[in-house]
Structures are given as C-alpha cells and as structure tokens.
Amino acid sequence: MTARRFVLLDRDGTLNIERHYISDPDLVELYPGAGAALRELRAKGFGLAVVTNQSGIARGLIRPDQLERVHARLAELLEAEGVTLDGIYVCPHGPDSDCDCRKPRPGLVAQAVRDFGFAPADSFVIGDKGIDIDLGRGVGAATVLVRSGYGRETEAKKLASPDHVADDLAGAAAWIAERALHP
Ligand SMILES: [Mg+2]
Ligand SMILES: [Zn+2]
C-alpha cells in the first residue's frame, strides 16, 4: 500500500458543468475554480481519480471514441490549470445492467485501488448526487456533496447523507485538506 491518499471525483456536475450526455468535446467546461481546487489537493499529495457513470454509451447516445475525445478535452483543460489526473474510471453500462461498476456500486473504486493500491477507507469521494455519496459510504470513504450540478436538489430533497456539504469543488477541497490534517 502506498501512503498516498486518494480523492475520487464525480465528473458531470462536480468537475465540469452538468450537460446531458456530453458527446462533444466542445461542451466540456470546468466549473470556475475547479482546476485550482484540484491543484491544491495535488500540492498536498493527494491522488486524483474521476469515477463516472456514462450510460450514454449503453444507450447509444455517446460513442466510445467520442467519450475518449471528451476525456482528452477534459485532460487538456486541466493541464492548462496545471493539473493531471491519475485516472478516469468509467462505467459505460445502463441502469438495467448487473455490472459491478455503475455507481453506487463499488467497481470503479476497486479498479482504481487495483491501479494505485490506496485504502478506500482513507480516501474521499466528492459528487453532486446520492449515488456518489452512497458509493463513498459503501467503501468507507469520507464523502462531500457539492452544491453544483444536481447538488442543490440532492441536498434539498435529502437524497444523500454526506459527511460534509460544500458549495463547490474549492469548498470540498478545503474541507478535505483540513480533515486530512485533523481527522
Ligand atoms: Mg454528477
Ligand atoms: Zn458498469
């Protein structure tokens, strides 16, 4: 096991602006301050991985090559902010699939753990939906709900029980940095 702790991030509505089934790289837009927030986490030694459900693949709304280009664009935008992700983990399956990777199931976290050997219980999960928070709780991680994307609705309808609620990724990063220092 490496000593590096990981922050597992949802993609749409958390890192980039929520837009239904993004298949066009031009529609990828980071939230203001998202790049700086991840840069701060990186500087503090955290590993960073995106975990994302992309059922648009199973539904035939996004082709795999389009998803690759969307993620290349995401990497390019982050690189411009001085940030590199350790990985992007995707569930391409639909809601009726019995795959083990569609959030809130833990398969994407298991894939990241196989690649990097971190302890899920020492990691953090950030997202805007109940499935993100449930994923984190399921693997024993600390969880942060962001009020971007569907986050406000998730909070208002009490669809999740996160350890913390933050306005955005910057607020989530600040809480995580503090919590990592003083558990
Ligand atoms: Mg989301
Ligand atoms: Zn899956």
Side-chain angles (χ1 to χ4, degrees):
M1 285 282 174
T2 141
R4 194 155 67 129
R5 298 180 76 174
F6 261 72
V7 177
L8 304 164
L9 303 148
D10 172 47
R11 197 192 84 181
D12 303 304
T14 299
L15 180 55
N16 54 273
I17 294 174
E18 165 67 44
R19 289 184 174 129
H20 230 49
Y21 300 115
I22 297 178
S23 59
D24 177 350
D26 289 343
L27 293 179
V28 180
E29 189 179 345
L30 296 177
Y31 283 109
L38 296 191
R39 200 165 59 232
E40 185 198 340
L41 289 171
R42 261 277 183 257
K44 293 190 157 68
F46 288 96
L48 299 172
V50 166
V51 288
T52 180
N53 284 355
Q54 294 295 329
S55 68
I57 299 277
R59 296 173 207 267
L61 300 171
I62 307 171
R63 293 191 316 266
D65 64 295
Q66 289 175 317
L67 187 67
E68 261 179 54
R69 280 189 292 142
V70 164
H71 287 167
R73 178 64 180 149
L74 185 62
E76 185 179 76
L77 291 172
L78 287 171
E79 196 177 327
E81 302 265 0
V83 179
T84 313
L85 296 173
D86 289 293
I88 299 180
Y89 296 88
V90 177
C91 168
H93 309 113
D96 298 333
S97 152
D98 61 356
C99 73
D100 73 346
C101 51
R102 184 170 164 83
K103 296 184 292 184
R105 296 177 198 138
L108 298 182
V109 175
Q111 288 176 32
V113 167
R114 274 199 292 279
D115 288 344
F116 297 104
F118 61 90
D122 282 335
S123 55
F124 296 87
V125 173
I126 308 174
D128 67 317
K129 285 189 179 175
I131 53 168
D132 301 307
I133 304 309
D134 290 347
L135 168 76
R137 291 169 63 88
V139 301
T143 53
V144 185
L145 177 71
V146 283
R147 294 191 177 101
S148 50
Y150 291 101
R152 280 187 190 283
E153 185 183 341
T154 302
E155 182 184 26
K157 294 185 177 169
K158 299 186 166 42
L159 301 176
S161 307
D163 294 298
H164 183 68
V165 183
D167 280 345
D168 54 17
L169 207 45
W175 184 82
I176 288 170
E178 178 67 21
R179 163 106 177 205
L181 276 179
H182 309 285

